[in-house]
Amino acid sequence: SRYLVHPSGRADLQTVLRYHVATSALYYRDLVGDVLEVTTLSNESLIINGRNDDDSVWIGTTEDTEKDNKLDEHGVLEKSDVLVSNGVVHKVDHLQIPENVSITHHNLLKGINANTMLNILKKTNLLNQVDLTDCIIMSPTDKAFENEDMESLWNDTEKLVRLAKLHIVPKSEGRKRWFLYPLLGDQVYDTLLSNRDKVVIRELGYGSTIIRVKGQPYGTHARVLDMGR
């Protein structure tokens, strides 16, 4: 969401907002017990699924959300038929992203103003690679780089590549959602640097998660400040 409200995300935000507006008024009675493909102001179709056993109404990009691995992306109507002067409003619990909006790692880094990490990925020619693959970037804040000798780092391409790859975790089968829902205890993951250079993720509870390089002392770690996907 930080990217969408960032000046660089203005056009995508407009598309996302239009995607939440149907071109015709639909009341709750029109949605229950049926599956509708609704035209939106973004010119992308939105599926409304009111054919659920618990009488709930879902909205999403596909009818079969579970089959397309979009189970967590559908929205559920929480409040319906709020009348306004030019139509009707339904309250849903999840933001919908249309297919014609592609949010990349580059966009997310831009949205959180992780300018140093973004420049490192550009200089090492890794940005295009990570944008085209399913991976996780552990991005230090700009402030985290203040204690580094950046002039020396910029002039040492090999060291810069190693640093960048150590902060990228490639997708691994069976662990698609690990970063959104980390488990208690140490979880070890390969990095793009090599399968020997690993990072350890640990959730401490109360919303606190830390990351450290495997083999380093427990006191040498980074705190996860925020997570996006």
Side-chain angles (χ1 to χ4, degrees):
S1 62
R2 290 190 189 180
Y3 161 66
L4 289 174
V5 298
H6 191 274
S8 63
R10 181 184 177 91
D12 282 338
L13 176 61
Q14 290 175 333
T15 303
V16 168
L17 294 176
R18 291 189 183 106
Y19 189 56
H20 288 74
V21 184
T23 55
S24 60
L26 293 167
Y27 297 90
Y28 181 74
R29 65 174 182 268
D30 302 317
L31 309 178
V32 178
D34 203 356
V35 177
L36 305 173
E37 184 173 348
V38 177
T39 303
T40 67
L41 292 184
S42 71
N43 295 320
E44 286 278 326
S45 293
L46 182 68
I47 300 295
I48 301 180
N49 184 349
R51 195 185 297 157
N52 297 296
D53 294 337
D54 59 357
D55 293 328
S56 63
V57 177
W58 294 3
I59 67 169
T61 52
T62 61
E63 179 182 342
D64 191 350
T65 53
E66 189 169 7
K67 179 180 176 182
D68 290 309
N69 295 319
K70 294 188 177 182
L71 187 61
D72 293 326
E73 296 185 16
H74 72 260
V76 178
L77 261 66
E78 294 186 334
K79 188 175 182 180
S80 296
D81 292 351
V82 180
L83 298 180
V84 292
S85 62
N86 63 337
V88 60
V89 173
H90 303 283
K91 181 180 178 181
V92 295
D93 67 352
H94 198 290
L95 182 71
Q96 297 301 304
I97 306 293
E99 297 291 345
N100 60 356
V101 171
S102 177
I103 299 178
T104 64
H105 295 291
H106 176 275
N107 297 143
L108 294 180
L109 292 171
K110 190 78 174 175
I112 62 174
N113 295 315
N115 300 307
T116 304
M117 188 63 180
L118 191 55
N119 288 332
I120 289 174
L121 291 173
K122 288 179 180 178
K123 186 174 177 62
T124 55
N125 295 318
L126 287 170
L127 185 59
N128 289 336
Q129 180 182 342
V130 297
D131 268 349
L132 293 173
T133 56
D134 204 351
C135 64
I136 295 160
I137 298 176
M138 300 170 291
S139 175
T141 62
D142 286 355
K143 187 176 179 62
F145 285 99
E146 289 181 357
N147 295 326
E148 297 292 327
D149 183 358
M150 294 306 296
E151 183 176 354
S152 174
L153 192 60
W154 285 121
N155 293 324
D156 190 337
T157 305
E158 183 179 350
K159 186 176 180 181
L160 206 60
V161 169
R162 287 181 59 83
L163 183 148
K165 288 186 173 182
L166 187 62
H167 285 78
I168 301 171
V169 175
K171 178 183 178 182
S172 56
E173 294 301 325
R175 288 180 170 177
K176 182 179 178 182
R177 296 164 55 192
W178 70 266
F179 200 66
L180 288 175
Y181 306 100
L183 303 175
L184 286 171
D186 290 348
Q187 301 285 316
V188 181
Y189 299 92
D190 296 343
T191 65
L192 198 62
L193 183 55
S194 78
N195 57 10
R196 298 184 304 277
D197 297 282
K198 302 176 185 291
V199 291
V200 182
I201 315 293
R202 187 177 191 186
E203 187 185 37
L204 303 179
Y206 302 102
S208 178
T209 302
I210 62 172
I211 301 176
R212 64 181 175 86
V213 177
K214 186 180 179 182
Q216 288 190 352
Y218 273 85
T220 309
H221 64 259
R223 290 184 301 113
V224 176
L225 302 177
D226 203 355
M227 291 181 281
R229 64 188 176 99

